[in-house]
Amino acid sequence: MTHSKRKDKASTSPRLKWLVALLMLWPAGAGAQTFENRFTRSLHDVMADVQTRFGIRLKYDMDTTGLKIAYADFRIRPYSLEETLTNLLSPFDFKPVYQQGNLWKVKRYEYPRRQPADGEKLMGWLTSLYNNKAEWEARRDTLRREVIQRLGIMPLLDRCVRLNTEFGRVRRHDGYVVQNFRLSTVNGHTVCGTVYSPAPLSWKKGSMKPEHTSGKYPLIVCPNGHFNGGRYNADLQKRYATLARMGAVCVSYDLWGWGESEDEVGAEAHHTSEAHVMQALNGLRILDLLAAHKDIDPQRIGVNGGSGGGTQTVLLSLIDDRFTASCPVVSMSSWFDGGCPCESGMPIQLSGGGTCNAELAAMFAPKPMMVVSDGGDWTITTPQLEFPYLQRIYGFYGQSEKVRNVHLPSERHDFGPNKRQAVYDFFVDVFRLDRSKLNEEKVTIEDENTLRFAPKP
């Protein structure tokens, strides 16, 4: 009898193990799934099953507690993890983003951010639209009109007051001078910034004659990105001052809702579509002010910014033909339009049936342009994807050498020494600056209070 029981237990053990395993894999609450309730399951539970099935790990940018999904298990594709994740997450406007190894991140949908594979497809589609200079220029002209219209900047520019500018005292440093300003724009607003120049500029009403008469200076307009401290950032000050020491007039100004602009409109204003328009308007009004100065060479007017300032660099160079050289840094991409409303608050990337910052940058052809990229952000694909595309467009004009790329694969998203060096090299070349004056150690870093506008006593 005892022997018989042992034999029965041994014979049924594999079946029990199989049943236990089956029950463990069976979705929680599966018995309650029916046609009537659309086979609904908890998103948390079904995603846990997906992790087990495909051997992955998931991190979440949001709380999924209480979220339920209909037809949950029917959305799983046993042959494709990517399709499974897309099917399960898209009803909630979530998206899967591969990280590394077996790790994936679940993020909310971001309209300005895609994946490198999406950029590759978009670049392929854009490339198919034009095969020669005539076809490209037809597309370019259509894009320019539509971008400007979607941005909504022209009615505001038409209402801008005549140049009404106040200047602070001149501060002299080693090989350059600094002067703050406040410029009236539109609807009672102002923009504040700082002019870095090789020598003092005279701002006498009417004449605009400079006190310094040794020759014409190139002008470099520098829209700012979201680097810590804005235009007061020490690394950015080094760039402005070094360019001035080498012979350029360099102008920096506040982001909308940052610095002195925050005092006027509040910090939240930066996170609105208005910031996209007003930052571009401020850059153009500053260009109006400086380009009118008799000591500025109209053939040498550049624009250079990093990160969000690089996005603005592309936009300003698209709107205004007075720019003769462009240098966007750690910004230009075919798969990221800029995650802040100050870069993508207005739907300019919908122009022409769909575009991106790489195509908008190409509109500067055939004038000199350098793109600085790195291995730690959305410019990682520049050497293989965006730069060859730019070379093709410049090739329509027989000027492929006029567009350059400095790629720093081991660096991340910043405006560090190597990126600044690339900027110096570019403007030394295209604007004939004095390389012998390139010495950042000669730069005086000023505090925020000194860089804020104060009228002359």
Side-chain angles (χ1 to χ4, degrees), residues 40-47 60-70 72 88-89 91-94 106 108:
T40 297
R41 288 186 64 195
S42 157
L43 179 64
H44 176 272
D45 291 345
V46 73
M47 295 302 284
Y60 293 83
D61 271 0
M62 75 293 292
D63 183 6
T64 61
T65 302
L67 296 182
K68 296 184 181 297
I69 183 166
L88 290 167
L89 297 175
F92 303 97
D93 235 8
F94 300 159
V106 178
R108 297 187 186 278

Side-chain angles (χ1 to χ4, degrees), residues 161-234:
V161 299
R162 294 187 64 83
L163 292 174
N164 181 13
T165 315
E166 300 172 87
F167 293 93
R169 65 180 180 84
V170 173
R171 304 185 298 282
R172 298 175 184 269
H173 298 297
D174 188 342
Y176 69 102
V177 300
V178 181
Q179 189 173 24
N180 301 335
F181 68 89
R182 180 166 60 197
L183 170 64
S184 297
T185 56
V186 67
N187 298 336
H189 294 304
T190 63
V191 58
C192 293
T194 303
V195 177
Y196 298 74
S197 55
L201 302 179
S202 173
W203 300 100
K204 296 176 182 178
K205 287 187 177 180
S207 68
M208 297 287 281
K209 292 181 180 179
E211 297 171 1
H212 187 73
T213 58
S214 65
K216 297 286 187 179
Y217 297 131
L219 167 66
I220 304 174
V221 176
C222 297
N224 279 288
H226 301 91
F227 299 111
N228 185 38
R231 68 182 180 91
Y232 313 125
N233 180 284

Side-chain angles (χ1 to χ4, degrees), residues 63-342:
D63 183 6
T64 61
T65 302
L67 296 182
K68 296 184 181 297
I69 183 166
Y71 310 109
D73 294 291
F74 293 93
R75 296 175 187 267
I76 294 174
R77 300 292 179 263
Y79 49 80
S80 174
L81 169 63
E82 289 82 358
E83 288 185 46
T84 295
L85 292 175
T86 298
N87 290 347
L88 290 167
L89 297 175
S90 57
F92 303 97
D93 235 8
F94 300 159
K95 64 176 184 177
V97 179
Y98 177 71
Q99 302 297 292
Q100 59 183 352
N102 68 342
L103 178 63
W104 288 72
K105 198 168 191 178
V106 178
K107 303 181 70 174
R108 297 187 186 278
Y109 178 75
E110 300 170 279
Y111 73 93
R113 189 190 304 267
R114 299 168 292 280
Q115 293 298 301
D118 298 311
E120 187 173 354
K121 293 174 186 176
L122 180 58
M123 287 282 91
W125 177 71
L126 292 174
T127 298
S128 72
L129 299 181
Y130 27 80
N131 294 300
N132 52 56
K133 178 182 173 182
E135 292 176 354
W136 158 247
E137 290 190 341
R139 165 77 174 178
R140 178 200 65 189
D141 294 345
T142 297
L143 278 177
R144 177 174 286 116
R145 287 192 299 270
E146 192 169 343
V147 166
I148 292 173
Q149 185 273 327
R150 286 180 179 272
L151 186 63
I153 196 170
M154 286 308 176
L156 292 173
L157 283 172
D158 290 341
R159 295 206 304 271
C160 279
V161 299
R162 294 187 64 83
L163 292 174
N164 181 13
T165 315
E166 300 172 87
F167 293 93
R169 65 180 180 84
V170 173
R171 304 185 298 282
R172 298 175 184 269
H173 298 297
D174 188 342
Y176 69 102
V177 300
V178 181
Q179 189 173 24
N180 301 335
F181 68 89
R182 180 166 60 197
L183 170 64
S184 297
T185 56
V186 67
N187 298 336
H189 294 304
T190 63
V191 58
C192 293
T194 303
V195 177
Y196 298 74
S197 55
L201 302 179
S202 173
W203 300 100
K204 296 176 182 178
K205 287 187 177 180
S207 68
M208 297 287 281
K209 292 181 180 179
E211 297 171 1
H212 187 73
T213 58
S214 65
K216 297 286 187 179
Y217 297 131
L219 167 66
I220 304 174
V221 176
C222 297
N224 279 288
H226 301 91
F227 299 111
N228 185 38
R231 68 182 180 91
Y232 313 125
N233 180 284
D235 283 346
L236 302 188
Q237 288 189 56
K238 291 176 184 177
R239 179 170 117 254
Y240 313 140
T242 300
L243 288 167
R245 281 178 47 81
M246 292 193 293
V249 173
C250 198
V251 58
S252 170
Y253 53 100
D254 284 320
L255 293 166
W256 183 250
W258 279 42
E260 292 174 270
S261 177
E262 179 182 350
D263 298 340
E264 183 179 287
V265 299
E268 277 306 308
H270 185 73
H271 303 285
T272 65
S273 58
E274 182 180 41
H276 199 183
V277 186
M278 291 303 296
Q279 284 179 199
L281 183 142
N282 289 343
L284 296 177
R285 293 299 285 161
I286 288 169
L287 175 62
D288 290 339
L289 173 69
L290 272 297
H293 198 289
K294 290 186 179 181
D295 214 27
I296 295 297
D297 181 355
Q299 302 305 312
R300 293 186 293 166
I301 298 180
V303 56
N304 166 232
S307 190
T311 306
Q312 280 287 314
T313 292
V314 169
L315 182 57
L316 291 173
S317 69
L318 177 159
I319 297 173
D320 202 303
D321 285 334
R322 287 176 290 179
F323 291 108
T324 64
S326 173
C327 184
V329 176
V330 295
S331 62
M332 191 210 68
S333 174
S334 61
W335 45 280
F336 186 45
D337 304 328
C340 180
C342 79

Side-chain angles (χ1 to χ4, degrees), residues 242-448:
T242 300
L243 288 167
R245 281 178 47 81
M246 292 193 293
V249 173
C250 198
V251 58
S252 170
Y253 53 100
D254 284 320
L255 293 166
W256 183 250
W258 279 42
E260 292 174 270
S261 177
E262 179 182 350
D263 298 340
E264 183 179 287
V265 299
E268 277 306 308
H270 185 73
H271 303 285
T272 65
S273 58
E274 182 180 41
H276 199 183
V277 186
M278 291 303 296
Q279 284 179 199
L281 183 142
N282 289 343
L284 296 177
R285 293 299 285 161
I286 288 169
L287 175 62
D288 290 339
L289 173 69
L290 272 297
H293 198 289
K294 290 186 179 181
D295 214 27
I296 295 297
D297 181 355
Q299 302 305 312
R300 293 186 293 166
I301 298 180
V303 56
N304 166 232
S307 190
T311 306
Q312 280 287 314
T313 292
V314 169
L315 182 57
L316 291 173
S317 69
L318 177 159
I319 297 173
D320 202 303
D321 285 334
R322 287 176 290 179
F323 291 108
T324 64
S326 173
C327 184
V329 176
V330 295
S331 62
M332 191 210 68
S333 174
S334 61
W335 45 280
F336 186 45
D337 304 328
C340 180
C342 79
E343 302 172 73
S344 54
M346 301 298 285
I348 64 173
Q349 274 78 20
L350 299 181
S351 301
T355 186
C356 63
N357 286 339
E359 188 180 35
L360 300 184
M363 294 168 63
F364 199 66
K367 293 183 282 189
M369 175 167 62
M370 182 179 71
V371 176
V372 181
S373 55
D374 62 57
D377 59 24
W378 45 90
T379 63
I380 189 173
T381 58
T382 299
Q384 298 80 32
L385 184 57
E386 290 86 357
F387 182 55
Y389 165 81
L390 292 174
Q391 287 181 304
R392 179 174 182 262
I393 301 301
Y394 273 73
F396 291 156
Y397 300 88
Q399 301 283 351
S400 296
E401 75 284 356
K402 290 286 186 69
V403 61
R404 317 173 192 183
N405 173 220
V406 172
H407 186 67
L408 304 166
S410 63
E411 296 197 8
R412 301 188 68 80
H413 189 75
D414 59 22
F415 216 137
N418 292 328
K419 298 179 178 77
R420 298 196 300 274
Q421 183 63 53
V423 170
Y424 302 147
D425 291 341
F426 176 68
F427 285 113
V428 163
D429 185 15
V430 300
F431 283 171
R432 305 181 301 280
L433 301 185
D434 185 354
R435 186 181 293 278
S436 69
K437 300 292 180 64
L438 200 172
N439 187 347
E440 290 189 338
E441 293 182 2
K442 299 289 187 178
V443 173
T444 298
I445 303 301
E446 299 185 321
D447 60 30
E448 177 178 339

